[in-house]
Amino acid sequence: MDRIENEDVDGLDEIVYLMKITRDSGIYNELKRAFKINLHLYNLEGIYSGEISQSKVYSQAKDTLGVLFPESGCIIRFYYVQKMYTLIELRYYMTVQRELDREDLRIIYSSGLDKSLIKGLNEFDNGLEYPETTLEFFQKLKMVKWENDDTKKFANNLRLLKNEFAYPGFSFVKYFRLSAIEDTFINFIGCCSAVNQERDYLSKKDIIIGYKTSLKLLNTDLAHYIVQNTENEPNRGYLVCDGCNGYYKLQIEESPDDFTSECECGGKLKYKEKLTSAEIQTIN
């Protein structure tokens, strides 16, 4: 707290309060568990390229932003966009508590949540339809710089405070990559805030917006948020009885392993990813 006590920035007290709430509610601990289980999320592009390609935001960013290095003196490169999706995927996992599959990734990448975060920032969940991102937006985004050294120092001090809440003691060493994902996302959203306001520099106000968005994202049940705010309800598959022909549609947080293999009627339950219209008529 000593690092920021002399800062007079609107919204700073709210950020500190939200950090405490997120720590005390156990969200940070859940995030760390999700990260520990899902280290493979770093390599999603090669595995789920078909699902990723469904996102217009992802495609535009990849075509526009530098992959290896940002522009000279600037902040953003394509890596920052990738880490936005990693954080989304980790929060999604915190709800469903199972390994994500292609259907989950299809839903995440086609849900429009990425656009809502970029355009809506900390108001991403207000249900509004935000304008589409454009190549021009990402061209501007890649040219954003720090406003000055004081702003950069402010961001670093706030990062250290966040780490005290989220990764106390030596746990930071264990989770430094997770902390870096958060930091990258916060700066990415801050730069989006700057571009949305027609600026080419990252200010303290933008940093605050980055933290508000990150903390709200961590405290939002993304799996149910995506289902409620889009028509892209995940298809988890069906359990079909070979005796009574009844079937059960798996819910978003369920897997076939959560159930016994025997129906109440005594028949055997079999998992099917999809049911054809003919099968549904037969079952009904």
Side-chain angles (χ1 to χ4, degrees):
M1 293 292 290
D2 293 341
R3 300 185 182 92
I4 61 170
E5 64 179 4
N6 295 321
E7 294 283 356
D8 183 21
V9 182
D10 286 344
L12 181 56
D13 290 342
E14 180 185 354
I15 292 301
V16 175
Y17 173 75
L18 290 172
M19 287 180 181
K20 291 179 180 178
I21 292 296
T22 304
R23 176 198 62 191
D24 295 344
S25 67
I27 289 292
Y28 278 135
N29 287 334
E30 290 182 37
L31 178 64
K32 285 182 279 191
R33 284 194 294 270
F35 174 78
K36 188 176 180 180
I37 293 170
N38 290 280
L39 288 176
H40 65 281
L41 290 176
Y42 283 109
N43 302 310
L44 278 176
E45 184 168 2
I47 303 172
Y48 294 106
S49 57
E51 285 69 24
I52 291 175
S53 66
Q54 295 187 41
S55 168
K56 182 178 180 181
V57 169
Y58 188 97
S59 299
Q60 289 175 337
K62 190 172 183 179
D63 290 343
T64 309
L65 302 177
V67 176
L68 297 179
F69 302 103
E71 295 291 321
S72 178
C74 300
I75 301 171
I76 297 297
R77 56 190 173 98
F78 183 57
Y79 172 84
Y80 281 63
V81 179
Q82 291 175 304
K83 295 307 105 179
M84 171 182 68
Y85 290 109
T86 301
L87 192 60
I88 290 172
E89 289 149 8
L90 288 172
R91 185 57 187 89
Y92 189 97
Y93 173 87
M94 286 163 60
T95 294
V96 300
Q97 292 292 313
R98 54 170 172 71
E99 185 174 356
L100 304 189
D101 57 23
R102 289 183 180 275
E103 180 67 10
D104 293 310
L105 272 295
R106 182 189 69 80
I107 293 300
I108 290 172
Y109 281 100
S110 63
S111 69
L113 176 58
D114 46 9
K115 180 183 72 173
S116 295
L117 286 166
I118 288 171
K119 291 294 189 176
L121 309 170
N122 58 304
E123 298 295 331
F124 70 87
D125 61 341
N126 63 11
L128 296 179
E129 181 61 35
Y130 292 101
E132 297 292 332
T133 57
T134 62
L135 292 176
E136 180 184 8
F137 175 88
F138 287 105
Q139 290 285 356
K140 292 179 178 179
L141 187 65
K142 75 176 183 179
M143 302 307 297
V144 175
K145 302 180 179 181
W146 291 97
E147 181 178 18
N148 49 45
D149 288 340
D150 186 50
T151 300
K152 188 181 291 188
K153 181 180 178 182
F154 171 74
N156 186 58
N157 287 336
L158 205 50
R159 176 183 65 82
L160 294 173
L161 179 63
K162 182 263 295 179
N163 288 342
E164 290 178 9
F165 282 114
Y167 313 102
F170 291 106
S171 68
F172 173 74
V173 176
K174 184 177 182 180
Y175 294 105
F176 76 93
R177 284 190 291 176
L178 175 57
S179 175
I181 290 170
E182 285 188 276
D183 300 335
T184 301
F185 175 76
I186 290 164
N187 287 341
F188 173 72
I189 293 297
C191 289
C192 291
S193 171
V195 173
N196 288 341
Q197 297 179 58
E198 299 296 331
R199 285 188 280 103
D200 63 356
Y201 61 86
L202 183 64
S203 68
K204 291 182 180 181
K205 178 181 177 182
D206 298 318
I207 295 297
I208 292 295
I209 289 175
Y211 273 92
K212 285 184 178 180
T213 307
S214 177
L215 289 163
K216 177 177 278 191
L217 183 68
L218 292 180
N219 284 281
T220 298
D221 183 340
L222 282 193
H224 290 100
Y225 166 82
I226 289 173
V227 170
Q228 291 170 3
N229 288 275
T230 72
E231 297 178 355
N232 292 306
E233 184 175 356
N235 174 26
R236 302 300 311 152
Y238 302 84
L239 294 177
V240 181
C241 176
D242 63 5
C244 66
N245 285 331
Y247 71 92
Y248 172 74
K249 183 177 181 180
L250 294 173
Q251 301 303 301
I252 190 169
E253 69 277 4
E254 296 175 337
S255 77
D257 294 337
D258 296 333
F259 298 84
T260 64
S261 60
E262 188 173 302
C263 178
E264 293 179 350
C265 74
K268 297 296 182 181
L269 294 176
K270 295 182 179 180
Y271 173 76
K272 286 195 172 185
E273 184 175 344
K274 296 179 180 180
L275 294 179
T276 66
S277 57
E279 287 176 319
I280 292 174
Q281 290 175 1
T282 300
I283 289 171
N284 290 337

